[in-house]
Amino acid sequence: MALEEYRKKRDFKKTPEPKGKIKKAKGNSFVVQMHDATNLHYDLRLEISGVLKSWAVPKGISMDPKIKRLAIETEDHPLDYGNFEGVIPEGYGAGTVMIWDKGKYENIKEKKEEGKGKMSMPESYSKGQIEVSLKGKKLKGNFALIKSKSPMFGKNAWLLIKMNDEFANKSIPNADKSAKSGKTMKQIEKGAGK
Ligand code: MN
């Protein structure tokens, strides 16, 4: 069920994006893709229950705990989307995609009752209260993703907030280069020629 919307939106005869399948493995990967579509934005994706749960972050990720970034939930993506870097042709999501950062996350969300251990990722997701420690090439440390209850933003709105830790307010290295290939957006665009 989780990938229906993803597949419906795309014509796989035209786009190099993966068709993907749902994996059973309980992995903990994450990826952030820079996506120069109609508006440049960042797509944060966390592996949960065999798919990449996805949020579009228009302003990108801030390392400042005082800043809350709007993160709009989008359709689930297949796990192999985490390896996709390239150019999406005319159609849905047209534009260049860079693997801006990737790595593993650790679930750090504690259950409400003290000493009861961690809340599972699917539960954190369904409650709209995700807390993860990111171990990427660029992003490090703890982040919270909280579902917004404000009707102003609509039902898919979450807030992405850097939590206070030793990585807070650190600058992000190589912010304009791919974590996969080292390429810039321009170089990815050029390399995609057919
Ligand atoms: Mn996108």
Side-chain angles (χ1 to χ4, degrees), residues 82-122:
N83 292 316
F84 177 72
E85 181 170 276
V87 176
I88 304 171
E90 282 305 295
Y92 182 74
T96 306
V97 176
M98 171 199 282
I99 296 178
W100 186 78
D101 198 15
K102 65 184 302 178
K104 301 281 182 195
Y105 72 78
E106 184 192 335
N107 173 22
I108 56 165
K109 177 72 184 171
E110 297 284 341
K111 282 184 178 162
K112 272 225 173 68
E113 312 81 43
E114 218 173 302
K116 285 281 163 71
K118 298 269 172 13
M119 193 185 279
S120 73
M121 282 304 286

Side-chain angles (χ1 to χ4, degrees), residues 146-163:
I146 308 296
K147 192 161 188 175
S148 168
K149 287 178 181 133
S150 164
M152 198 169 85
F153 295 123
K155 65 175 171 59
N156 295 326
W158 296 57
L159 295 169
L160 176 64
I161 310 153
K162 178 75 193 77
M163 295 164 76

Side-chain angles (χ1 to χ4, degrees), residues 22-79:
I22 298 174
K23 304 258 165 73
K24 283 225 174 77
K26 282 189 182 163
N28 58 334
S29 62
F30 85 93
V31 64
V32 177
Q33 281 152 322
M34 194 199 283
H35 186 188
D36 191 9
T38 314
N39 295 299
L40 180 80
H41 61 273
Y42 293 75
D43 290 297
L44 167 65
R45 311 187 198 280
L46 298 177
E47 180 176 357
I48 302 174
S49 304
V51 294
L52 293 172
K53 292 285 175 195
S54 297
W55 292 263
V57 187
K59 289 191 173 170
I61 288 120
S62 173
M63 296 301 281
D64 182 348
K66 291 195 287 296
I67 292 175
K68 297 180 172 81
R69 286 282 158 86
L70 182 64
I72 302 149
E73 190 178 358
T74 58
E75 76 274 19
D76 296 345
H77 279 53
L79 290 185

